[in-house]
Amino acid sequence: MIDSLLKYAPLISAFMPLLVIVLTGFWVHKRLEKIKSRLQLDHAIIEKRAAIYASVQDEINTIYSYILRVGDWKEYTPTDILECKRKVDKTFHSTQPYWSKEAFEAYQQFIKVSFKAYRGHGKDAGIIAKVERYQRLDNWKPSFFESFESGYDKERLIAANQSLMSSLSKDFGIN
C-alpha cells in the first residue's frame, strides 16, 4: 500500500505548491473583501456625519460668535441663540450613535460652557455671557435680560469650541 502511495508522491509534491497558492489566494481575497466592506461602511458613516454636521454648522457658529461677540453677532437676539441651541441639541442627541464618544462629549462640553440648563420649570436655558455687553444693541429688549446667566469665561469657551472642532475633525477622518 505504501508502494502505491509512493508512486503518486511526485505528482502530489508537484501540485502541493499550487494548492497552497490557491488556498492562500482564497484566504487573502476573503480578508480583502472584509477590509473593503469595512472601508465602505466607514465611508458611509463619515458621509452621514458630514451631512448631520452640515445641517447644524451655521447654528453652532452662530452660538459661538454671539457669545464670543465676533462676526455677525450683533444681528442676533437671545431668542435666536436659544433656537439655535434647540436645533443643535435635537440634532446631536437624535444622531448620537453616529458620533464617537469623544466628539459627543466635546459637544456636551461646548453646550455646558455656553448655556446654563435646568434653571427651573418652564424656563429656557440661560446664555452664559456678560449681559451688559448686549444691552446697547439696537435689537435689545428688556425681556432679554432673563436670557443670560453669569459665569462667562472666554478662554473656556474658546477651548470648548476648539475641542469640539478637533473631535469632529477626527470623526470625519481628517486628523
Side-chain angles (χ1 to χ4, degrees):
M1 177 141 161
I2 293 182
D3 289 335
S4 62
L5 285 176
L6 287 176
K7 67 179 172 180
Y8 293 110
L11 186 62
I12 293 171
S13 65
F15 284 105
M16 278 309 251
L18 182 60
L19 181 62
V20 169
I21 289 171
V22 168
L23 291 177
T24 302
F26 181 73
W27 179 81
V28 167
H29 177 72
K30 283 185 78 169
R31 292 287 298 149
L32 287 174
E33 286 298 318
K34 283 183 181 182
I35 291 169
K36 179 181 172 186
S37 177
R38 182 63 196 174
L39 287 173
Q40 287 173 335
L41 177 62
D42 288 348
H43 181 70
I45 290 170
I46 289 171
E47 282 183 344
K48 181 66 174 175
R49 287 173 176 166
I52 293 166
Y53 179 68
S55 74
V56 293
Q57 69 185 15
D58 290 341
E59 287 79 4
I60 292 171
N61 188 62
T62 298
I63 292 167
Y64 181 66
S65 297
Y66 186 78
I67 296 171
L68 195 59
R69 298 180 334 115
V70 297
D72 61 354
W73 69 277
K74 293 177 184 177
E75 296 176 21
Y76 298 101
T77 66
T79 306
D80 298 329
I81 301 308
L82 291 172
E83 282 302 315
C84 287
K85 179 194 181 298
R86 286 185 190 101
K87 180 181 179 188
V88 175
D89 273 346
K90 181 179 180 181
T91 300
F92 262 84
H93 285 278
S94 66
T95 61
Q96 183 177 352
Y98 286 101
W99 302 108
S100 67
K101 181 181 177 187
E102 179 185 78
F104 194 78
E105 287 175 356
Y107 164 73
Q108 289 178 311
Q109 183 61 27
F110 173 76
I111 292 298
K112 185 179 177 182
V113 169
S114 302
F115 299 94
K116 178 166 176 35
Y118 312 111
R119 299 190 312 153
H121 181 70
K123 291 187 88 176
D124 289 329
I127 301 166
I128 300 175
K130 294 182 179 179
V131 67
E132 61 274 5
R133 295 181 175 177
Y134 299 84
Q135 290 175 313
R136 293 189 186 104
L137 296 175
D138 294 337
N139 61 9
W140 180 261
K141 294 179 185 175
S143 61
F144 291 159
F145 187 79
E146 292 184 18
S147 299
F148 289 86
E149 282 286 336
S150 62
Y152 174 71
D153 184 333
K154 181 179 179 179
E155 285 74 29
R156 278 187 67 209
L157 178 64
I158 292 170
N161 185 67
Q162 287 175 341
S163 176
L164 175 59
M165 295 301 125
S166 176
S167 296
L168 291 173
S169 291
K170 287 179 186 170
D171 274 14
F172 296 139
I174 296 171
N175 287 342

